[in-house]
Amino acid sequence: MNTYKTYMARQEVSPDFHARLLALEAPKQKKMGGVYMKFGALAACAALIFGLGSGWWDPAAPAATSPVAVSDGSGPEDILAVEPTLAPDESTTDPAATPKDGFLIYSPAAGDRLNFYSIPALNFQEGMNEVAASIALPDGSFFVELTLADLQKIFWGSQGKPADLGPDTDLPWVLGWDGYTVRAGATYDGTGGLWMLTVYGSKGLDTFELQVSPGRLPPQCLVDPDGESVDVNGVEVTSYYHVYDRNGDGLTDYVCTSEFMVDGYGYRFRSAHSDAGEGEEKAAERAKFFHACFVMRAAQWTDSRCYFDHIAHNDNIPVWEEASFDTLAQARERADFASYLPQTAPVNWSEFYGRLSYQKENYNYLFVRWSKGYDNVEIDVHLPEGDSADYYHDQLVDVSVPESYDWRLYDGPISDTVPEEYRMAFYKPAFRAEDMSLEVVKARMNDHDTGGEICHFYVLHDNGTVVGYDCSGINAQQVWALVEATLG
């Protein structure tokens, strides 16, 4: 589980994740209410929209180097969204166990029983996302997977599942989660306080995500200004929806979102349903009804609202450190990192930033950057810590296969020109230290859209240390000088 915790502990998008997004095939445009939803190069914060931000999009994603900068320069009319396919291969029937791939929920279908209840009439406005400023987890944050028993307490109270319920009921039937495979986790800040609960579920093509934060609505990198509020038993609920093909499979998806504050906790619930042939009207109504059932259970029923005391605080806080540096000399004082940093600044640029992030058994990295206008020279050094380096092995390329890393062989976007078998690692591949050379660096140089050249790659050293290079505004010889000095 350390790899899941590593990612959630530092929810800050790495260049690799950005590369994976860029390598995805661009879904077709869908027209909604006379406005075309544009897709293409996705901003880094797309990871946080639906599912990917839950920590399960890539089990071995690394800690990254800087807070998510939420902007792609394309304007507020763009919806930036991409979702994972959660396809668990195993489940668990032990409610106290932490499953590897989630747990399958058994709750008898609602059927006609819902006819006895007053379903809230939510005002779903057709929305349009606008980009917010930025989002990053608090220093020292860590992620803990939750069990089915934890979820049962959330929805039934401190005693958990009522004793008079049979084994065919895992969660309240009114949720409509029967048959969904669910994963749940809690992200805590560096003091052990709950920062956000996340529950993600999937059933065929349909998915949902629940986020809950104490004292405020859960943070997000995209905001929707078009939602309208209704009163649900004294709780103000704001709802909106989007209609588009969210994953390029040719099916229309209906994504509903509701936000509200109740009992001191902020909720954001998203449910997404695909029209797989039932017709547009029925698919839309199914999406909204599923969504309204959760709002009814969490906001409308005052005698059975959610319970969070058992996860509100976690005393098992990993040792952690966050430190910033104003100069390269300060960064080099960290002896374990010094041999992977240049002895002097590689460029005569005045803007410098450095940061160290450490969490025991999860990650240990130091990042430095020199900036000038649109150009940056960035070096991030990841020392082995827990499983934190495993991800980079997936990026390793064979230096004898230039098709897997040589930009000079291609002319155009990665998704259009690079063969599929090399596409996911191409943006920022990893090379073994013994394979590095000036010629390899030259192969990684590519035209920068603001002039000059740019390159991205990792170097994996024999001791497990991984050094990432993201450089623009300097040439291949200057980049090679940075790498060569670390090879010993």
Side-chain angles (χ1 to χ4, degrees), residues 179-388:
Y180 276 79
T181 298
V182 171
R183 300 195 72 169
T187 302
Y188 295 90
D189 61 27
T191 67
L194 179 65
W195 188 76
M196 186 165 69
L197 162 73
T198 304
V199 183
Y200 179 79
S202 66
K203 180 181 179 181
L205 297 175
D206 297 339
T207 58
F208 72 82
E209 184 181 52
L210 168 65
Q211 298 173 325
V212 183
S213 291
R216 53 169 170 74
L217 288 175
Q220 63 175 345
C221 58
L222 295 182
V223 296
D224 197 311
D226 296 325
E228 291 195 9
S229 299
V230 297
D231 184 277
V232 178
N233 198 27
V235 176
E236 197 170 275
V237 180
T238 302
S239 301
Y240 46 91
Y241 76 101
H242 301 103
V243 183
Y244 60 102
D245 181 358
R246 55 186 170 140
N247 55 10
D249 62 1
L251 300 178
T252 299
D253 300 298
Y254 300 85
V255 181
C256 299
T257 302
S258 281
E259 301 171 336
F260 53 91
M261 292 287 303
V262 62
D263 296 340
Y265 283 85
Y267 291 70
R268 179 174 297 111
F269 185 70
R270 291 189 178 97
S271 61
H273 299 262
S274 297
D275 178 4
E278 62 190 300
E280 179 177 342
E281 184 176 347
K282 288 185 177 180
E285 288 304 313
R286 180 168 59 90
K288 293 178 181 180
F289 183 76
F290 175 86
H291 191 89
C293 285
F294 174 81
V295 174
M296 176 177 66
R297 181 59 174 75
Q300 181 169 310
W301 292 359
T302 56
D303 60 344
S304 59
R305 288 177 177 171
C306 295
Y307 173 86
F308 302 107
D309 287 1
H310 63 302
I311 63 168
H313 190 85
N314 192 309
D315 292 325
N316 298 317
I317 305 170
V319 176
W320 63 275
E321 180 187 6
E322 297 286 338
S324 297
F325 310 112
D326 295 323
T327 65
L328 174 62
Q330 290 178 352
R332 287 184 53 83
E333 290 176 0
R334 301 295 179 131
D336 292 344
F337 293 93
S339 61
Y340 303 102
L341 301 175
Q343 294 189 12
T344 59
V347 288
N348 187 25
W349 299 343
S350 59
E351 187 174 342
F352 174 85
Y353 173 80
R355 187 170 184 87
L356 177 139
S357 291
Y358 167 75
Q359 190 175 91
K360 186 177 181 180
E361 295 301 322
N362 282 332
Y363 53 84
N364 188 16
Y365 69 91
L366 189 149
F367 169 79
V368 293
R369 177 181 64 222
W370 291 266
S371 300
K372 181 181 179 181
Y374 292 102
D375 291 324
N376 298 278
V377 174
E378 300 180 353
I379 304 172
D380 56 285
V381 183
H382 293 252
L383 299 183
E385 185 70 29
D387 297 329
S388 63

Side-chain angles (χ1 to χ4, degrees), residues 158-171:
S158 61
Q159 301 304 309
K161 177 181 171 179
D164 59 349
L165 292 179
D168 62 340
T169 299
D170 290 327
L171 291 174

